[in-house]
Amino acid sequence: MKKASALPAGVVFGKPVNLRHLPWLIIVILSVILAELPRTVFPRWVQKYPTGWRLSLADWISAFMHWLTVDAHLGPLTVSGFTRALSFLLDLPLQLASMVLATGVLKGQGSEAVMLFPPVPWFALIIAIAALSWTLRGWRLAVGMTIGFLYLAVFGQWTSAMVTLASVLVAALLSAAGGLALGLLCVRSATFGRLLSPLLDVAQTMPVFAYLLPMLILFGFGPVSAMIATVIYAIPPMVRVTVVAIQGVPDELRSLGSMTGCTRRQMTWRILLPTALPGLMVGVNQVIMLSLNVVIIASMIGAGGLGWDVLGALRRLDIGGGLEAGLAITVLAVMLDRFAQALVPDARRSGPSGSRSHHRVIAGALALAGLLWIAAALWPAIAHYPESARLSTGPFWNDLVSWINIHFHDPLDVIKTFMLLHVLMPVKRFMLALPWPWVVTVVTLAGLWMGGIRLALTVGLMCGFMAVVGLWQPAMITLYLCGVSVVIAMLLGVPVGVIATQRPWLMKSVEVFIDTLQTLPAFVYLIPIVMLFRVGDFTAMIGIVLYAIAPAIRYTAHGISHVPESLIEAGTMTGCTRGQILRRIRLPHALPDMLLGLNQTILLALSMLVITALVGTRDLGQVTYAALSKADVGQGVVAGLCVAFIGMISDRFIRQAIRQPGS
Amino acid sequence: MQHPVLACRKVSRLYGARASEFVTDGHLTTDNVQTLQEAGITPAIFNVDLDIERGKTFVIMGLSGSGKSTLLRCLAGLTPPSAGKILFESKNLFEFSEADLIQIHRHQMGMVFQHFALLPHLTVLGNVAFPLEIQGRPRAEREEIAQRMIRLVGLEGREHRFPAQLSGGQQQRVGIARSLAGDPDVWFLDEPFSALDPLIRREMQAEVIRLQGMLKKTIVFITHDFEEAVRVADRIAIMKDGQVEQVGTAEELLVSPATDYVRAFTRDAPRAHILTARSIMTTSPSAGPFGGEVNATDRVISFARELDASSLPLAVIENNEIIGAIDRTMLLDILIGPETQAVGA
Ligand SMILES: Nc1ncnc2c1ncn2[C@@H]1O[C@H](COP(=O)(O)OP(=O)(O)OP(=O)(O)O)[C@@H](O)[C@H]1O
Ligand SMILES: [Mg+2]
């Protein structure tokens, strides 16, 4: 900052302190004093936001939803009629996909249904996919995909996995296509982009639970609502990636388009999209991962599939069963991702992409798969993987957890008690003791200080919102739980990221580990933790840390390993030791990346809240969850907005910090 | 007289938030560059007047940031000028409808880019055939034409490679083949060889000269290298800070530079390759004796040895008449500059 250099350095406790940090120091000291003062010192309205001043936003939203579904008209159509029609339309591709993959063509309803034609049998699908993979990327991918699908069959997850696959495929396609379209619109019209951006922010940071209920009311209980919720959740990164990728197309290529006389449509489809494709695939990858992330939540409202199995297993406290179904989700995620990546034509590959022998292999494999499918229709006995040949690792996991529980109960308990007494409880007490006007003021001032009046207004209003709607207390608990978890995740993740970059083999295993953690539904590892530590804040914290640590590791590793080679060489030439290179060159250079990682860690931590609410926290997640079970639309949405705002406040601050290097 | 293919009439292009304040009805409201700069405006090009003749190679030269690319983009119909008119075949290029402009781009203009601008997902064949594909020509036809273009630039056998598998020189050959595929009348080249190393660069310059000999296009060529300009140009425009300092043949620029800037620009030029006998001879009548004869249009380089070997001056001939003479001191003046200049330097 320019201002800073003009300020003289002060001296505190004999150490030089840059005066620029002084305001922060004062704020911290004041906060501690305010938190330690007995509550009665303050007037009542400062202690607790008065109920009389509360904005009954929740009630208004509920009333609005009621009006929307009962009275509102869109032209001649009622709104609910319109949404039901939309729901019917969206159900069609979903039905088709699950017919082909999972249920087959049925006649009749429910248990009396008669199967007219079976779904694709497992071996036929494997043959077709393997052949396709081989032509796209060679035998490695083919073997990988085969093993993945065999896993699903052998461990008895096939049918559920296909139900999930069908809904994820449709949801991911919709999100990818929708995100692409919105992204293109944003590129074409800057105004549209500015209007859409805050909506995307909210959609990305608001817990899915919060908008699940409105979806249910508008689109009915069933897979379509689940799918729409999934799409809302998964679309923002696709839009963002599209904008970045399209804007990243070199100007020369655009000029080429104009010079060859491309019409607008040709420019988009022949120049912009193909050249931006590798970038766009990053978005597709995100979409797939996010879609799979919400399958469990979706399964709660009738999407079925693997998510449903996990949930069922957990209700029976069958950790092994839950873990198996959860791992199946991970396997599915990895396969989908690799396959999607393989669909991108690789320009570096030699030789023509669609040679004749490849075509012949695909045609042959598809014909064979088709024949096998028909055979399965004629002899239903061969269509299913034999029960007797199934394996299960469930008992193993169950035994493992109880073994740990028996042998390590005492040391685990010590850790838990220590953390609770010396970290969690004091922080929680401190956060709750802070008077709300003080917090709002500090946040606003920080905004003013870092980014100016606009930022100050944005963050100040968002912060005030939590008090005004009467959710200050749960918001502070949210902040405390997330704050502690994020700090721990960073404390663990940054060193791991740094160490991993020094050793490639370690990096590989860390990657696999965090990929698994991120795609494994959070429920699945929450349960063994609950069994080891019982319900409570500590359990919630571990869950959040496990889920949110991935970006802390990944971004650190990325930043550290992408320091320009010339800088390292310059360091070596000035005689830096390895440690000095790390501390003086790599770490400072990686700082912006690490801040981005922090940002992501916070967002992930917030998205875990609703799930940790299940283990008895009393934060905003709990409010959302309770609202969902009471069908209180307004309260759910408002609590969800609070979570979104916390995420957005931290996001704005961190982005500002990245923009001002050196501060 | 034939009308020029392309012409600029007081063309300006301003960049900056307040640019529109200084334009009314397609005319600048000020002739003063400083007023513009004080308002925070970059005049990327400023009041440019040019004629580009049919079938000739026109080179635009200047330092980085002098507005060459902007001028080229205006001429090619990519960037509308802030003020002034671009005339293409005597009609205002930016008054054509969008559909007409697309047709002009498809059939009458082609461009070669500095960084090649190859589409990474298409093969060499696909890239060269791309303009024809955009025109909607049938596959067989466009591939046949593309093959011919690929042969023209000497890339046969590499049709199915992807751009990433080619060297820089080869990539630019693809760029050239592609720009010619639509059989344009006007061929734009924006620093086509500055991303290439000197040897390949020479080769590619020769390539352009060879192609021009065969195809006789109207060429607009940008470079910041005077030697390159001399090799390919019929006429050269020298730009500085968005304005054209002088337009002329290489020899005119050398012999009578309009400004000090042009003089400085041409200082290191290969004078012997550029100057003709006419521009260095003395016209003061001299009866001889002469050591030999040269044509008035001969380049100095072609008779330098002869002049050096002979103790007598050479006679300069035009229409079988002696119009002047050249002696050895003149040769030295050319190679190391006249005496006065050498002292100054
Ligand atoms: N899109 C733009 N927005 C703002 N300023 C621009 C834009 N395009 C060009 N300029 C400015 O116009 C001036 C001329 O740029 P131009 O690209 O035409 O130069 P050039 O002679 O081609 O330089 P180079 O040799 O580096 O390619 C520069 O000062 C540049 O900063
Ligand atoms: Mg340029």
Side-chain angles (χ1 to χ4, degrees):
Chain A
M1 273 205 281
K2 274 186 207 127
K3 261 184 285 171
S5 55
L7 287 174
V11 176
V12 178
F13 303 132
K15 277 190 185 169
V17 167
N18 195 332
L19 277 190
R20 165 158 72 98
H21 297 308
L22 203 59
W24 299 119
L25 204 64
I26 295 173
I27 284 177
V28 170
I29 293 171
L30 273 180
S31 300
V32 172
I33 294 174
L34 284 174
E36 291 302 322
L37 283 177
R39 305 230 81 189
T40 43
V41 177
F42 306 112
R44 286 191 68 86
W45 66 269
V46 173
Q47 290 174 32
K48 191 165 181 291
Y49 188 85
T51 334
W53 302 1
R54 197 176 286 178
L55 204 65
S56 36
L57 189 63
D59 298 341
W60 299 343
I61 293 178
S62 296
F64 172 73
M65 281 305 289
H66 184 80
W67 170 81
L68 199 63
T69 46
V70 179
D71 300 325
H73 284 261
L74 260 178
L77 218 60
T78 60
V79 167
S80 58
F82 174 75
T83 53
R84 293 293 143 112
L86 195 64
S87 169
F88 173 78
L89 272 184
L90 288 175
D91 199 32
L92 291 179
L94 214 51
Q95 290 278 354
L96 183 71
S98 74
M99 227 188 261
V100 172
L101 288 171
T103 60
V105 184
L106 298 176
K107 190 178 180 215
Q109 288 282 313
S111 52
E112 288 139 51
V114 189
M115 192 183 287
L116 297 180
F117 204 80
V120 187
W122 59 277
F123 41 85
L125 191 66
I126 290 182
I127 289 173
I129 295 285
L132 217 58
S133 310
W134 181 73
T135 50
L136 283 169
R137 272 295 181 282
W139 60 272
R140 259 166 190 275
L141 185 69
V143 170
M145 298 296 287
T146 308
I147 291 177
F149 277 116
L150 274 179
Y151 171 90
L152 297 177
V154 171
F155 285 87
Q157 310 287 341
W158 186 266
T159 309
S160 298
M162 288 306 115
V163 172
T164 299
L165 181 62
S167 60
V168 167
L169 275 184
V170 176
L173 273 179
L174 267 183
S175 312
L180 191 66
L182 286 177
L184 284 173
L185 281 178
C186 288
V187 173
R188 193 161 289 173
S189 148
T191 326
F192 183 78
R194 264 195 303 277
L195 288 178
L196 192 66
S197 180
L199 286 181
L200 294 179
D201 277 347
V202 172
Q204 214 168 2
T205 39
M206 194 145 139
V208 182
F209 275 95
Y211 48 80
L212 215 45
L213 201 55
M215 289 304 130
L216 288 180
I217 292 175
L218 288 174
F219 298 100
F221 189 92
V224 173
S225 292
M227 188 174 75
I228 295 178
T230 310
V231 169
I232 292 180
Y233 182 67
I235 222 170
M238 188 68 202
V239 178
R240 298 241 155 82
V241 166
T242 304
V243 172
V244 171
I246 296 284
Q247 281 173 347
V249 173
D251 275 342
E252 267 196 355
L253 284 175
R254 288 166 205 269
S255 303
L256 168 73
S258 310
M259 284 312 290
T260 45
C262 286
T263 59
R264 270 184 196 205
R265 182 176 304 171
Q266 286 175 324
M267 183 74 113
T268 305
W269 289 96
R270 298 304 182 82
I271 305 251
L272 296 181
L273 289 182
T275 31
L277 195 60
L280 294 176
M281 287 314 287
V282 176
V284 171
N285 165 289
Q286 290 271 308
V287 163
I288 291 175
M289 291 302 168
L290 291 179
S291 310
L292 273 163
N293 260 336
V294 290
V295 289
I296 290 238
I297 294 170
S299 71
M300 286 179 173
I301 54 172
L306 290 171
W308 182 251
D309 292 355
V310 174
L311 216 59
L314 298 184
R315 293 225 173 94
R316 297 190 305 272
L317 280 186
D318 171 10
I319 301 171
L323 205 61
E324 241 173 27
L327 274 178
I329 295 182
T330 308
V331 169
L332 211 53
V334 173
M335 287 197 299
L336 271 174
D337 179 54
R338 298 295 131 82
F339 195 74
Q341 299 299 330
L343 287 177
V344 186
D346 181 359
R348 252 161 271 266
R349 221 157 31 120
S350 55
S353 51
S355 77
R356 217 171 286 145
S357 69
H358 280 184
H359 287 315
R360 232 177 287 151
V361 169
I362 292 191
L366 286 183
L368 182 59
L371 281 179
L372 287 173
W373 194 356
I374 294 171
L378 296 178
W379 300 285
I382 64 162
H384 293 286
Y385 186 81
E387 296 262 355
S388 53
R390 271 187 200 167
L391 296 178
S392 173
T393 50
F396 165 75
W397 296 110
N398 286 337
D399 292 346
L400 185 68
V401 172
S402 25
W403 183 79
I404 295 178
N405 219 349
I406 292 166
H407 290 84
F408 291 95
H409 180 268
D410 291 340
L412 287 176
D413 210 45
V414 170
I415 298 176
K416 173 184 164 187
T417 317
F418 175 84
M419 282 299 285
L420 271 178
L421 283 183
H422 297 282
V423 180
L424 292 173
M425 287 306 130
V427 176
K428 186 178 188 176
R429 201 162 35 80
F430 174 74
M431 297 298 287
L432 286 175
L434 283 177
W436 65 268
W438 173 250
V439 178
V440 176
T441 314
V442 167
V443 167
T444 313
L445 277 181
L448 195 63
W449 188 276
M450 288 179 67
I453 192 79
R454 257 185 80 131
L455 184 66
L457 272 180
T458 318
V459 294
L461 284 177
M462 285 187 191
C463 190
F465 178 85
M466 294 176 226
V468 172
V469 295
L471 289 175
W472 187 257
Q473 194 140 333
M476 281 298 114
I477 298 182
T478 300
L479 209 55
Y480 126 78
L481 198 56
C482 275
V484 172
S485 309
V486 166
V487 168
I488 293 181
M490 289 305 281
L491 284 180
L492 293 175
V494 170
V496 170
V498 170
I499 295 169
T501 47
Q502 314 290 323
R503 296 177 184 61
W505 60 268
L506 193 61
M507 193 67 224
K508 276 249 158 71
S509 30
V510 168
E511 288 255 357
V512 171
F513 176 69
I514 52 186
D515 273 349
T516 315
L517 271 187
Q518 280 209 292
T519 44
L520 204 61
F523 284 101
V524 174
Y525 51 83
L526 208 53
I527 293 304
I529 306 172
V530 171
M531 296 196 72
L532 295 178
F533 297 106
R534 310 276 166 257
V535 294
D537 286 6
F538 184 67
T539 304
M541 186 200 82
I542 296 188
I544 298 176
V545 169
L546 280 180
Y547 185 63
I549 201 171
I553 299 176
R554 203 172 272 151
Y555 281 75
T556 306
H558 180 267
I560 296 272
S561 56
H562 280 72
V563 177
E565 204 50 43
S566 56
L567 273 181
I568 307 286
E569 278 167 9
T572 315
M573 289 313 289
T574 44
C576 290
T577 61
R578 277 178 71 109
Q580 280 173 326
I581 287 185
L582 183 64
R583 260 176 296 125
R584 296 299 184 80
I585 298 176
R586 287 191 190 268
L587 278 180
H589 203 276
L591 196 63
D593 275 310
M594 283 154 69
L595 283 174
L596 276 179
L598 173 64
N599 203 356
Q600 288 296 312
T601 303
I602 293 174
L603 291 182
L604 285 188
L606 285 169
S607 71
M608 257 304 266
L609 280 179
V610 182
I611 291 166
T612 55
L614 297 181
V615 298
T617 56
R618 321 209 115 271
D619 53 12
L620 289 171
Q622 186 65 262
V623 178
T624 319
Y625 190 67
L628 183 64
S629 48
K630 282 185 295 187
D632 182 349
V633 189
Q635 185 73 342
V637 170
V638 168
L641 274 179
C642 286
V643 177
F645 285 170
I646 293 181
M648 284 159 78
I649 291 174
S650 80
D651 174 75
R652 293 296 125 84
F653 277 136
I654 291 173
R655 270 199 237 170
Q656 196 62 34
I658 296 174
R659 217 171 293 157
Q660 307 173 330
S663 60
Chain B
M1 202 195 106
Q2 232 181 2
H3 64 81
V5 181
L6 270 165
C8 295
R9 297 287 173 256
K10 286 189 88 67
V11 169
S12 302
R13 170 77 213 191
L14 312 179
Y15 285 109
R18 295 174 51 198
S20 57
E21 291 173 23
F22 293 88
V23 183
T24 39
D25 301 333
H27 295 284
L28 285 191
T29 51
T30 172
D31 268 342
N32 191 343
V33 181
Q34 236 163 22
T35 339
L36 291 173
Q37 281 164 347
E38 275 159 20
I41 292 168
T42 316
I45 49 176
F46 187 75
N47 280 343
V48 170
D49 282 300
L50 282 181
D51 285 338
I52 291 170
E53 291 161 45
R54 196 174 305 278
K56 295 284 169 60
T57 303
F58 189 90
V59 171
I60 302 172
M61 288 198 61
L63 298 179
S64 192
S66 58
K68 307 181 295 290
S69 295
T70 311
L71 179 57
L72 185 93
R73 292 177 61 82
C74 288
L75 287 169
L78 293 176
T79 312
S82 310
K85 276 189 288 194
I86 307 278
L87 300 177
F88 176 68
E89 303 290 6
S90 307
K91 291 197 209 72
N92 191 337
L93 187 58
F94 289 90
E95 278 172 9
F96 284 104
S97 67
E98 191 177 322
D100 284 345
L101 200 57
I102 284 179
Q103 289 309 321
I104 290 175
H105 279 143
R106 285 185 180 178
H107 301 290
Q108 290 176 279
M109 292 179 173
M111 190 182 278
V112 181
F113 297 88
Q114 181 172 3
H115 301 289
F116 321 140
L118 301 184
L119 293 165
H121 62 286
L122 296 180
T123 59
V124 169
L125 189 65
N127 266 293
V128 176
F130 182 78
L132 305 170
E133 194 185 337
I134 290 299
Q135 294 172 15
R137 304 242 204 132
R139 187 185 194 99
E141 183 190 335
R142 64 181 191 242
E143 293 201 340
E144 191 222 301
I145 297 177
Q147 283 291 1
R148 209 166 59 226
M149 292 302 140
I150 290 171
R151 242 174 292 133
L152 194 66
V153 297
L155 278 180
E156 56 269 55
R158 298 199 169 79
E159 293 86 347
H160 297 295
R161 299 238 188 137
F162 284 93
Q165 300 165 325
L166 298 176
S167 73
Q170 290 169 336
Q171 291 191 30
Q172 195 55 301
R173 282 173 197 271
V174 178
I176 289 177
R178 176 180 61 191
S179 67
L180 292 174
D183 192 22
D185 303 332
V186 189
W187 197 24
F188 296 98
L189 301 97
D190 187 353
E191 301 199 33
F193 309 136
S194 58
L196 304 175
D197 60 54
L199 277 182
I200 309 279
R201 211 169 155 147
R202 287 241 155 183
E203 210 176 279
M204 299 296 290
Q205 289 161 2
E207 187 82 27
V208 166
I209 294 166
R210 182 178 70 88
L211 289 174
Q212 172 66 347
M214 289 163 56
L215 306 169
K216 301 272 182 255
K217 307 271 179 207
T218 304
I219 296 182
V220 183
F221 189 110
I222 289 191
T223 175
H224 53 234
D225 175 1
F226 195 64
E227 260 184 75
E228 183 166 89
V230 169
R231 292 175 127 245
V232 300
D234 289 311
R235 289 202 312 148
I236 300 173
I238 293 196
M239 292 190 70
K240 181 190 176 212
D241 299 337
Q243 281 166 296
V244 172
E245 295 271 299
Q246 188 175 2
V247 185
T249 63
E251 190 170 19
E252 283 164 7
L253 297 180
L254 261 185
V255 174
S256 46
T259 62
D260 286 345
Y261 185 79
V262 175
R263 195 192 312 280
F265 217 96
T266 53
R267 182 153 55 213
D268 296 326
R271 308 170 78 87
H273 289 262
I274 299 169
L275 299 179
T276 53
R278 183 205 309 278
S279 58
I280 63 163
M281 68 186 185
T282 51
T283 43
S284 52
S286 140
F290 293 114
E293 290 179 352
V294 294
N295 270 320
T297 52
D298 285 352
R299 307 263 177 219
V300 173
I301 189 79
S302 65
F303 56 81
R305 291 220 168 273
E306 192 187 342
L307 182 58
D308 189 45
S310 131
S311 53
L312 295 171
L314 299 179
V316 179
I317 308 283
E318 188 173 42
N319 298 332
N320 292 325
E321 269 176 50
I322 295 178
I323 57 164
I326 300 176
D327 65 22
R328 276 161 72 179
T329 43
M330 293 171 190
L331 189 62
L332 278 180
D333 284 352
I334 294 164
L335 294 179
I336 56 179
E339 251 171 293
T340 45
Q341 212 179 317
V343 172

